[in-house]
Amino acid sequence: MKVVYIAGPYRAKTIFGRIINIIRARREALKWWKRGYAVICSHSNSALFDGKAPDSVWLAGGLELLRRSDIIVMLPGWKFSQGSIQEYHTAKLLGIKVEEGEIYGKEKILPLHT
């Protein structure tokens, strides 16, 4: 079974913004699960753990999970996220296939990220 890693913005100016980013990532993850992939969605794995460990722990853990993946899916808005940018460059360096995630319905990607 191929492993897919979902990457995209997590941080936001408000808790509501973070929850929106988590929901977007979970929607994309479910789509890939339904296609028959095993999915790593770090948005779900560490949802709302803000401040419970240094940010570097979350990023290092995510990069380790990415290294074990076959595909990375970049969610809309990822170019505004420092963590997602690093995940993208790591995937390219490791030769991991890069896919673009979807925007659902008429949903707009708001500048929620800090």
Side-chain angles (χ1 to χ4, degrees):
M1 182 179 275
K2 298 266 185 184
V3 177
V4 173
Y5 182 95
I6 307 298
Y10 171 80
R11 288 185 188 88
K13 293 178 182 176
T14 66
I15 186 71
F16 178 73
R18 283 193 299 277
I19 291 169
I20 293 296
N21 287 338
I22 292 165
I23 290 168
R24 287 177 177 153
R26 289 172 52 92
R27 283 184 189 169
E28 189 70 29
L30 180 58
K31 181 179 81 174
W32 286 88
W33 276 109
K34 287 180 176 179
R35 290 180 177 176
Y37 293 86
V39 182
I40 297 167
C41 181
S42 59
H43 292 71
S44 292
N45 185 48
S46 58
L48 307 175
F49 284 4
D50 308 86
K52 303 300 182 195
D55 285 348
S56 60
V57 171
W58 310 124
L59 182 57
L63 292 175
E64 184 57 35
L65 293 170
L66 172 59
R67 286 181 189 92
R68 300 164 189 235
S69 302
D70 302 292
I71 301 168
I72 185 171
V73 176
M74 306 305 300
L75 296 175
W78 71 267
K79 293 178 182 177
F80 300 105
S81 164
Q82 292 302 310
S84 297
I85 291 168
Q86 191 167 354
E87 290 165 334
Y88 173 82
H89 288 298
T90 299
K92 293 299 261 182
L93 182 68
L94 297 173
I96 295 170
K97 183 178 179 181
V98 177
E99 296 273 341
E100 290 289 328
E102 296 181 13
I103 297 177
Y104 295 87
K106 296 182 182 203
E107 177 180 322
K108 288 185 176 182
I109 300 303
L110 303 173
L112 299 173
H113 347 295
T114 55

